[in-house]
Amino acid sequence: MDDVRSTSAWVASHSSHVVVDSSGIEKVVSTIDSIPKVEWDFEGIHYFDNGPLTVQYLFVLDALNFCFWPDKDLNYDNLASGLKAALQNDKSAFDADRLQKYTGPQLRELLNWPRPLPLEDERVRLLHEVGIELERNFDGKASNLVEQSGKSAMNLVALVARHFPGFRDHSVYKGRQVFLYKRAQIFAADLWGAFWGQGCGEFKDISSLTIMADYIVPAVLQQLGILKFSPTPASTIEASGEICPGTEEEVELRACSIHAVEKMRELISVKSGTPVLSVELDLWLWATGIQCESLKHHRTLSIYY
């Protein structure tokens, strides 16, 4: 996670298209006395049985948690609730051997979705990858993967990135490697939120996680006056155009969001006299964004978010 923080800070200091506005951060922080507590499953859309099957569900969910925008009717809620219903109907739906065999049409049927999913072939490929690697190294169970982390969120992110290539969310920016790890981090954050920091969700270093850089958080930060965009990305976003993955604009939108929220977290912690977690800030900002129907976000075809 130090790599995520340091490389995001480097991008922010060399950025050409996105600016982190320090005065904007200070202005927003001045209005915050404490971070509103947002319950992890505030919409009631996730499967939870307080055991290993929940861990398996969350790992499958986070393997598929990316790129909904090409289908205007599809969103994260459809994925989370669809997988929940599938598991309630068939407790073996996410067994490792079955994950290796799903086809696109079968995944659609699992989610009760009437048409091809965005990046459907990639989603199927990643399901297969999860099934194969869980079977090969973790006796088919994501709970064994979590157990190997030794109650360390940082170790869990590293384990996921090491064993599952589809979670290796990094880019090259102006000759530097930049690490973002959105879906690997959100797996740890989801476990922590779902299990209330206990059992399978107990991590002694949950504060090591950063925000999960996606579409929503950069847009919320821009709306708050914390991020400023140059005319090129601003006009593309306003016109609902695509920003290609790996471009300077795309990396800056994500990395500058991470850096900006780290600065927010530091200032709020000092002001309140209480340590603030990036995962709490992330959930608050994300929940704010998804409730704003008019929010314009950037559009990138990517398996990472």
Side-chain angles (χ1 to χ4, degrees):
M1 295 307 94
D2 289 342
D3 286 340
V4 175
R5 286 182 170 86
S6 63
T7 59
S8 293
W10 192 88
V11 171
S13 67
H14 293 81
S15 180
S16 304
H17 308 278
V18 180
V19 173
V20 178
D21 188 330
S22 297
S23 63
I25 295 174
E26 291 170 3
K27 185 176 178 181
V28 170
V29 170
S30 71
T31 68
I32 297 173
D33 292 319
S34 62
I35 297 302
K37 295 294 181 184
V38 180
E39 227 176 272
W40 175 78
D41 192 26
F42 66 94
E43 295 174 293
I45 57 175
H46 297 93
Y47 179 86
F48 184 73
D49 70 349
N50 202 33
L53 198 54
T54 295
V55 181
Q56 197 86 353
Y57 162 81
L58 290 174
F59 197 44
V60 171
L61 172 66
D62 291 327
L64 300 175
N65 181 8
F66 58 87
C67 203
F68 303 105
W69 61 262
D71 187 327
K72 64 181 178 59
D73 298 319
L74 181 68
N75 56 44
Y76 172 79
D77 290 10
N78 299 119
L79 178 66
S81 59
L83 293 175
K84 174 184 178 180
L87 197 53
Q88 287 173 329
N89 184 57
D90 179 359
K91 292 294 194 287
S92 67
F94 303 150
D95 285 2
D97 60 332
R98 292 186 61 182
L99 292 175
Q100 298 172 44
K101 298 171 185 173
Y102 279 115
T103 63
Q106 287 172 334
L107 177 57
R108 275 177 250 154
E109 185 179 353
L110 203 68
L111 297 174
N112 194 28
W113 198 249
R115 53 188 172 272
L117 297 156
L119 299 179
E120 184 170 276
D121 289 347
E122 286 294 275
R123 285 184 154 90
V124 169
R125 181 180 69 82
L126 293 172
L127 270 187
H128 293 176
E129 177 185 281
V130 164
I132 290 166
E133 190 60 19
L134 283 179
E135 187 173 72
R136 179 188 294 143
N137 282 299
F138 302 99
D139 196 27
K141 300 182 186 305
S143 57
N144 290 335
L145 167 67
V146 174
E147 189 176 343
Q148 281 195 24
S149 72
K151 299 187 186 302
S152 165
M154 192 155 41
N155 286 351
L156 181 58
V157 171
L159 274 169
V160 170
R162 182 183 311 140
H163 285 279
F164 302 90
F167 283 83
R168 293 174 191 164
D169 178 9
H170 46 80
S171 298
V172 175
Y173 174 83
K174 295 184 177 180
R176 288 282 192 102
Q177 196 85 30
V178 178
F179 302 93
L180 301 163
Y181 292 137
K182 184 255 185 182
R183 291 195 290 105
Q185 289 200 78
I186 210 168
F187 178 49
D190 281 346
L191 288 164
W192 179 75
F195 288 90
W196 295 90
Q198 303 296 317
C200 296
E202 182 184 351
F203 297 109
K204 60 193 176 187
D205 58 353
I206 193 65
S207 62
S208 67
L209 298 182
T210 68
I211 65 157
M212 296 60 173
D214 62 356
Y215 303 102
I216 302 298
V217 172
V220 173
L221 294 175
Q222 192 260 349
Q223 196 173 65
L224 290 172
I226 289 172
L227 293 185
K228 309 282 189 190
F229 302 161
S230 74
T232 302
S235 59
T236 302
I237 292 167
E238 185 59 33
S240 298
E242 287 187 35
I243 295 177
C244 291
T247 58
E248 287 188 4
E249 292 94 332
E250 190 254 350
V251 176
E252 289 175 14
L253 283 162
R254 300 183 71 205
C256 288
S257 295
I258 291 172
H259 183 64
V261 176
E262 285 300 300
K263 294 298 160 192
M264 277 183 72
R265 180 187 58 76
E266 291 169 6
L267 290 179
I268 295 169
S269 296
V270 169
K271 181 184 176 184
S272 66
T274 306
V276 173
L277 297 175
S278 294
V279 291
E280 294 175 317
L281 277 169
D282 181 82
L283 185 55
W284 170 57
L285 291 166
W286 183 80
T288 300
I290 63 168
Q291 293 171 56
C292 179
E293 291 185 7
S294 62
L295 191 72
K296 285 273 193 175
H297 61 73
H298 75 282
R299 297 174 173 225
T300 297
L301 280 171
S302 171
I303 67 167
Y304 296 119
Y305 64 103

